[in-house]
Amino acid sequence: MKSLTVVDHPLVQHKLTLMRDKGTSTAGFRRLLKEISLLLCYEVTRDLKLTTMHIETPMQEMEAPVIAGKKLVFASILRAGNGLLEGMLELVPSARVAHVGLYRDHDTLEAIEYYFKAPDDIADRMVIVVDPMLATANSAIMAIEKLKERGANNIRFLCLLAAPEGIKAFQEALPDVPIFTAAIDIKLNEKGYIVPGLGDAGDRMYGTK
Ligand code: PRP
Ligand code: URA
C-alpha cells in the first residue's frame, strides 16, 4: 500500500533550488512556492477519474472529458501549507478547503493543534493535504489523523521536502496515504530541521525571522 512519488520534473527541481538558496527574498520565496505548487498539483491529480459531458463546439456536438465525482478538498497545514494551497486553488478553483492549524513545539518537536475547520462532507471527497515540509512527520500525522476522525478516507499528502526519518514515521503511521514530494533530503539535524533543506518554511514565507 505504501506509495512515495518524487516529482523530479526539471522545472520543479530548478524552482526548488532557488527556494533553498538563503539569498532568495521573502517575495521571491512566496512567488516560487506558488509556481511550484501549480506543477505539483498537476502531478498529484494526474490519475483523477474522468467522465464525459455533452457539449457543442462551434463545429459539432461531442462527449467531452471532465473530472468525475465530487470536488476535491485541499487541506492546508497552517501556516506554511497556505503557500501551496494558493497555487493549487488557482488550478482547481472549485476545490473545497480544510485548514488545520498546528505548530511544532521547538523542544519536544511534538505538533500542537490550535485550529481545525473542514467541510462536513469530507468523507465523500478526495483530500489532498498540503504542507511544504515533512520533517519528523509529527505535524502531518496529527493533521491526517484529525481529518480521518472527521471521516476523510481518500487522502494524499503533498510536500516540497521530505526527510527520510519523516517518510519512515509517516508510512508506519499512515501506510494508506500516498506521499508526493519534490525531493527527499539527507536527514534531520539535532533540532529537527531538514538538511540541506530550506530553513523554516513559515518564517521564509512570511518574513517572521
Ligand atoms: C513546519 C512545517 C510543518 C512542520 C514540519 O511548521 O510547515 O508543518 O514544521 O515539521 P514536522 O514534520 O517535524 O512536524 P511549523 O511548526 O514551523 O509552523 P508554521 O508553518 O506555522 O511556521
Ligand atoms: N519545518 C520547517 O519549516 N523546516 C524544517 O526544516 C523542518 C520543519
Side-chain angles (χ1 to χ4, degrees):
M1 274 289 265
K2 290 178 197 167
S3 164
L4 174 64
T5 303
V6 178
V7 183
D8 58 1
H9 191 287
L11 283 171
V12 171
Q13 296 304 314
H14 180 86
K15 289 177 192 298
L16 180 56
T17 296
L18 299 178
M19 291 183 74
R20 288 180 188 273
D21 187 343
K22 70 177 188 182
T24 297
S25 66
T26 300
F29 190 89
R30 267 206 298 264
R31 181 178 43 75
L32 287 159
L33 184 55
K34 186 168 168 195
E35 288 171 5
I36 229 172
S37 67
L38 299 172
L39 300 162
L40 294 175
C41 185
Y42 181 82
E43 275 302 319
V44 76
T45 55
R46 177 180 281 282
D47 63 349
L48 289 185
K49 300 273 175 296
L50 291 172
T51 183
T52 57
M53 68 182 277
H54 187 82
I55 59 165
E56 218 174 311
T57 79
M59 310 304 288
Q60 66 171 60
E61 295 184 12
M62 72 176 286
E63 296 299 319
V66 285
I67 292 169
K70 284 206 175 187
K71 310 286 186 222
L72 301 173
V73 173
F74 295 148
S76 169
I77 303 181
L78 305 176
R79 293 175 294 170
N82 278 4
L84 286 172
L85 175 68
E86 209 187 313
M88 295 189 52
L89 282 174
E90 247 175 50
L91 269 194
V92 189
S94 58
R96 307 304 193 241
V97 177
H99 290 97
V100 187
L102 297 176
Y103 69 89
R104 287 203 312 177
D105 180 287
H106 283 297
D107 297 321
T108 65
L109 303 183
E110 293 303 318
I112 317 250
E113 185 189 343
Y114 59 86
Y115 187 78
F116 185 90
K117 190 89 177 173
D120 285 341
D121 59 351
I122 199 165
D124 305 330
R125 302 171 185 272
M126 178 189 283
V127 180
I128 300 176
V129 181
V130 296
D131 188 332
M133 310 303 274
L134 186 70
T136 64
N138 290 339
S139 305
I141 292 169
M142 181 184 272
I144 292 171
E145 281 173 349
K146 291 269 163 200
L147 291 161
K148 284 189 170 187
E149 278 167 25
R150 268 302 173 89
N153 55 61
N154 181 8
I155 305 175
R156 297 170 180 201
F157 179 74
L158 174 64
C159 62
L160 263 191
L161 288 187
E165 297 90 329
I167 292 171
K168 184 165 179 288
F170 185 103
Q171 291 186 326
E172 276 169 16
L174 302 162
D176 56 317
V177 179
I179 301 173
F180 293 76
T181 183
I184 301 172
D185 271 12
I186 297 171
K187 61 172 185 172
L188 295 180
N189 71 9
E190 65 290 349
K191 291 187 173 157
Y193 278 86
I194 299 175
V195 288
L198 52 71
D200 187 304
D203 284 342
R204 292 201 61 193
M205 272 179 66
Y206 296 116
T208 41
K209 210 177 258 175

